[in-house]
Amino acid sequence: MIRTIASVRALEILDSRGNPTLRVQVALASGITASASVPSGASTGENEAVEVRDGDGKRYGGKGVLKAVASVNDVIAPRLLSLDPTRQVEIDRLLIDLDGTPNKANLGANAILGVSMAVARSAAAAVGLPLFAYLGGPAARRLPMPMMNVLNGGKHADNSIDFQEFMIVPLGAARFAEALRYGAETFQALKSLLEKKGYATAVGDEGGIAPNLASNDEACELLVKAIAAAGYAPGEDIAIALDPAASTFHAGGLYHLDKSGQGRKTSAEMTELYQGWIDKFPIVSLEDGLAETDWAGFRDQTARLGNRIQIVGDDLYVTNTAFIRRGITERSTNAVLIKLNQIGTVTETIAAVELCREAGWGFVVSHRSGETEDPFIADFAVAMGGGQIKTGSLCRSERIAKYNRLLEIEHELGPAAIFADPFKSRHRAAA
């Protein structure tokens, strides 16, 4: 058959932080070729699938990925020859079995994911469909609401903000293209506002501005002012979403807000802090507001705040169905962040999404802080139809590549495209 895999090759490339990662190319007997590049996170959950790096201090400070490249070229590639790339589930199962560990620590989740994504792309090309339509079928018509990370802190920036991401959500826009414009205009307004205040406007890992502010609260205050300065109504046209990434400042059972000098807080005090912010600012989503080990705290937080906002688990679940099932049983959150490289294959990621759907939970397809120009997650977000995506700020080409791909998809779908506020029912419930 001409629709079979003829070769699989990996190459060491650089991500947006200048660290090595993999690009995998799959070639079919028909002459079709497709490639995929693998991202990498900075604040990673302790239960994530394992990236394999070389540990050779003479190359890239030990961060090289030649071992993972060799895993693809020498171990995986021979086993995939002559297989049908449309058999994604079988191929992903083969990759998992070849690795033989529960967390992909042998071959590396980076090696396995690169192959899994490239196989999916090659299969889509082989059957003549765009990736979103191949993975999602004819129902894949919903463009995701973007959560745009315009202020960076935590591990994503060397500044005085404890919390990692302060995002704007253009929920009042009628189309994705308009949502992107709302966000871009607000980002420019925020930059001008910061310049007038004498703050630095350099950007962090995800393209958000990373100034030294007086407090974490000031970040939300600035976002509200920037939204209004851009000509939009806070809470109606554009809302706020937060990702504190609380595991990064949790130690000894307390949350250490050391960067901002706001002291140490218990789990309950953190939820009280967020509740105060929700009363004051137009916040619609809170991700990783507590540490990945604080299951009891998450249950309490969701019980107290979950009828008002979306409570998202990221490090808590690491896109793993076992942890998501626990969360559903315990009502730990009401939404899940979905990252392909946390679990390591396209099939397992889709399984995590399906579990969210069954529970009636929201889910947010997400990038990583160390990204590439590969827009795979843009197609994946449309394919899954969850209506939410995180892919960074309104600058840096590795972020913009995803937004531009979504513009292409919306144009391709034409009048069939759907774009809607995923938080509307919760707004009504809160009211």
Side-chain angles (χ1 to χ4, degrees):
M1 291 177 60
I2 60 172
R3 197 176 73 186
T4 57
I5 295 173
S7 70
V8 180
R9 298 295 296 174
L11 176 71
E12 184 181 61
I13 63 169
L14 296 182
D15 68 16
S16 58
R17 281 197 286 258
N19 291 328
T21 187
L22 280 79
R23 177 172 293 156
V24 177
Q25 183 182 76
V26 170
L28 306 184
S30 63
I32 288 172
T33 62
S35 64
S37 301
V38 181
S40 177
S43 57
T44 56
E46 65 181 23
N47 295 305
E48 287 192 24
V50 175
E51 280 183 338
V52 167
R53 295 192 179 270
D54 299 340
D56 179 0
K58 296 180 180 178
R59 294 188 75 253
Y60 292 114
K63 294 182 179 181
V65 292
L66 294 183
K67 289 181 180 178
V69 167
S71 291
V72 174
N73 294 341
D74 301 336
V75 180
I76 295 172
R79 297 295 299 273
L80 266 55
L81 298 183
S82 299
L83 297 185
D84 182 342
T86 64
R87 309 292 287 269
Q88 185 80 40
V89 174
E90 293 178 21
I91 289 173
D92 285 347
R93 172 47 57 188
L94 172 60
L95 295 174
I96 293 167
D97 291 344
L98 277 174
D99 176 82
T101 68
N103 59 359
K104 301 178 178 66
N106 183 15
L107 300 177
N110 43 354
I112 291 170
L113 180 62
V115 174
S116 182
M117 292 164 62
V119 165
R121 266 219 179 95
S122 69
V127 300
L129 290 173
L131 182 60
F132 74 88
Y134 171 71
L135 291 175
R141 300 185 293 122
R142 185 178 184 182
L143 275 294
M145 178 67 64
M147 294 181 177
M148 301 161 165
N149 180 13
V150 294
L151 275 176
N152 288 183
K155 282 197 170 183
H156 288 178
D158 183 16
N159 63 4
S160 60
I161 306 175
D162 298 290
F163 297 169
Q164 190 161 278
E165 300 179 20
F166 294 81
M167 296 168 278
I168 52 175
V169 187
L171 44 76
R175 299 172 56 242
F176 177 80
E178 286 294 283
L180 190 62
R181 180 173 66 83
Y182 283 22
E185 290 172 354
T186 302
F187 180 66
Q188 295 302 325
L190 175 63
K191 185 176 180 180
S192 296
L193 184 63
L194 291 168
E195 287 173 343
K196 289 177 183 177
K197 287 179 170 289
Y199 287 136
T201 56
V203 299
D205 278 353
E206 296 183 0
I209 303 169
N212 281 308
L213 303 181
S215 67
N216 296 305
D217 303 60
E218 188 182 8
C220 289
E221 293 166 0
L222 286 167
L223 288 190
V224 171
K225 291 178 182 177
I227 291 166
Y232 299 106
E236 295 180 21
D237 297 321
I238 301 176
I240 294 172
L242 305 175
D243 174 12
S247 292
T248 63
F249 53 83
H250 180 259
L254 294 173
Y255 294 87
H256 300 244
L257 304 183
D258 296 336
K259 292 182 77 175
S260 63
Q262 290 183 278
R264 299 176 180 181
K265 296 184 182 296
T266 65
S267 178
E269 288 170 339
M270 289 299 296
T271 294
E272 288 172 7
L273 183 153
Y274 300 134
Q275 185 168 353
W277 281 15
I278 294 164
D279 292 338
K280 185 177 180 181
F281 304 113
I283 295 169
V284 294
S285 183
L286 172 63
E287 173 194 332
D288 278 4
L290 299 171
E292 63 192 300
T293 55
D294 194 355
W295 286 84
F298 268 105
R299 288 193 299 274
D300 177 66
Q301 186 174 95
T302 300
R304 292 175 62 180
L305 307 178
N307 66 327
R308 300 180 64 187
I309 65 168
Q310 176 175 261
I311 307 292
V312 186
D314 173 16
D315 291 346
L316 191 69
Y317 301 129
V318 293
T319 316
N320 187 308
T321 54
F323 295 113
I324 296 172
R325 284 193 187 95
R326 176 181 173 182
I328 292 168
T329 299
E330 299 184 11
R331 299 182 180 180
S332 303
T333 66
N334 54 33
V336 178
L337 203 72
I338 300 293
K339 294 175 177 174
L340 285 139
N341 85 318
Q342 281 184 327
I343 193 65
T345 66
V346 172
T347 299
E348 290 169 293
T349 309
I350 292 173
V353 168
E354 290 175 344
L355 196 54
C356 294
R357 290 194 190 117
E358 291 170 10
W361 280 17
F363 59 91
V364 185
V365 174
S366 178
H367 63 162
R368 299 308 299 256
S369 53
E371 262 296 339
T372 73
E373 62 274 24
D374 190 333
F376 191 98
I377 63 165
D379 281 78
F380 191 77
V382 177
M384 296 299 102
Q388 299 185 67
I389 193 170
K390 284 179 58 178
T391 188
S393 187
L394 285 304
C395 70
R396 296 185 59 137
S397 60
E398 76 279 0
R399 315 294 156 182
I400 299 301
K402 282 72 165 174
Y403 292 129
N404 287 343
R405 174 58 186 150
L406 289 167
L407 290 174
E408 291 175 347
I409 293 172
E410 185 173 59
H411 180 75
E412 183 175 341
L413 287 169
I418 298 170
F419 186 73
D421 175 7
F423 307 105
K424 188 171 291 185
S425 62
R426 188 165 279 113
H427 297 330
R428 293 197 186 104

